[in-house]
Amino acid sequence: QIALKESGPSLVKPTQTLTVTCTFSGFSLTTAGEGVAWIRQPPGKALEWLALIYWSNDNRYSPSLENRLTITKDTSKNQVVLTMTNMDPVDTATYYCAHREPLGYFDHWGQGTLITVSS
Amino acid sequence: VLTQSPGTLSLSPGERASLSCRASQSVRTDYLAWYQQKPGQAPRLVIYGTSNRATGIPDRFSGSGSGTDFTLTISRLEPEDFAVYYCQQYGDTRVTFGQGTRLEIK
């Protein structure tokens, strides 16, 4: 059964680069059709999709954040890593990773990790 | 852009809920989903492909629509259904979420 868990620093300073890791089990990113997405949610606000990586190594990014994001995968460790540069207090949010079902929807989510941006 | 309405819906247990999601451009019915989120929890998939219930979702939940207008209907509200609901369009190139509808107990 599929499970995902996010990990990363709880606090980052403005202008720093954030690195968050999604460690998953129950599927493989070497299997055709599989993917992992990152989504964030500022406190009390809506969900915002950030990035997606496919089994094929193809990536997709939110157009509004594309120049700050990089998503990579390590298939040997069953991990997906998201980096976001030049962090700002408005980037304070819970960051979720989710399994992208081959048909495209997100059927399993991690518990999320709260990242606070503050000096 | 996905626009959900109303922003907040106040209903009583046993009543019927209809949540709307309107897209700025046509969405393939294969690519429209709904998620439920309760406080302090991750979102949970409710409906995918416009009208397909996810695993474990009771049959009081149903989805419908096409083109730019989609609806999530809960036929008879149970206490555990009160939550925030998000619609999502997903394709091969990008993903967007609506701003959410809060379903609260009246």
Side-chain angles (χ1 to χ4, degrees):
Chain A
Q1 98 208 31
I2 291 174
L4 306 99
K5 188 172 184 179
E6 307 85 352
S7 58
S10 58
L11 180 67
V12 297
K13 295 185 187 315
T15 76
Q16 285 187 337
T17 294
L18 169 68
T19 299
V20 283
T21 300
C22 177
T23 303
F24 58 86
S25 60
F27 68 97
S28 173
L29 272 177
T30 62
T31 301
E34 297 287 6
V36 170
W38 282 97
I39 305 99
R40 70 179 179 180
Q41 185 173 38
K45 296 189 176 181
L47 300 169
E48 179 184 20
W49 170 70
L50 300 176
L52 186 54
I53 189 164
Y54 294 93
W55 83 102
S56 58
N57 240 356
D58 194 13
N59 305 329
R60 295 286 184 266
Y61 296 102
S62 167
S64 62
L65 292 166
E66 185 167 12
N67 62 343
R68 298 175 55 204
L69 296 173
T70 303
I71 189 170
T72 59
K73 61 182 170 71
D74 185 333
T75 54
S76 66
K77 294 181 180 178
N78 278 352
Q79 290 181 333
V80 170
V81 175
L82 181 75
T83 61
M84 180 181 290
T85 60
N86 195 24
M87 292 292 283
D88 183 272
V90 301
D91 297 314
T92 293
T94 296
Y95 287 73
Y96 295 100
C97 63
H99 171 251
R100 179 192 182 273
E101 215 274 348
L103 292 179
Y105 49 87
F106 302 162
D107 59 347
H108 292 82
W109 294 61
Q111 65 192 21
T113 184
L114 176 61
I115 307 293
T116 301
V117 184
S118 174
S119 54
Chain B
V1 177
L2 297 177
T3 302
Q4 292 185 239
S5 61
T8 301
L9 185 57
S10 299
L11 293 170
S12 300
E15 290 193 293
R16 180 185 183 92
S18 289
L19 286 64
S20 174
C21 176
R22 179 163 290 179
S24 57
Q25 297 179 329
S26 185
V27 175
R28 278 181 55 172
T29 55
D30 296 349
Y31 293 156
L32 195 287
W34 292 88
Y35 297 84
Q36 176 193 70
Q37 188 179 34
K38 297 180 180 178
Q41 296 184 17
R44 176 191 183 193
L45 178 68
V46 176
I47 296 285
Y48 65 92
T50 296
S51 59
N52 301 286
R53 278 188 302 276
T55 302
I57 300 299
D59 61 7
R60 63 180 180 272
F61 287 85
S62 62
S64 62
S66 64
T68 59
D69 289 302
F70 298 86
T71 301
L72 174 68
T73 301
I74 310 171
S75 59
R76 285 198 353 234
L77 286 164
E78 297 286 341
E80 62 267 26
D81 300 336
F82 291 90
V84 179
Y85 291 84
Y86 294 95
C87 61
Q88 177 209 32
Q89 71 88 17
Y90 51 93
D92 289 337
T93 56
R94 70 177 63 178
V95 172
T96 52
F97 289 94
Q99 83 280 17
T101 289
R102 180 178 304 279
L103 179 56
E104 65 177 26
I105 299 177
K106 188 174 182 179

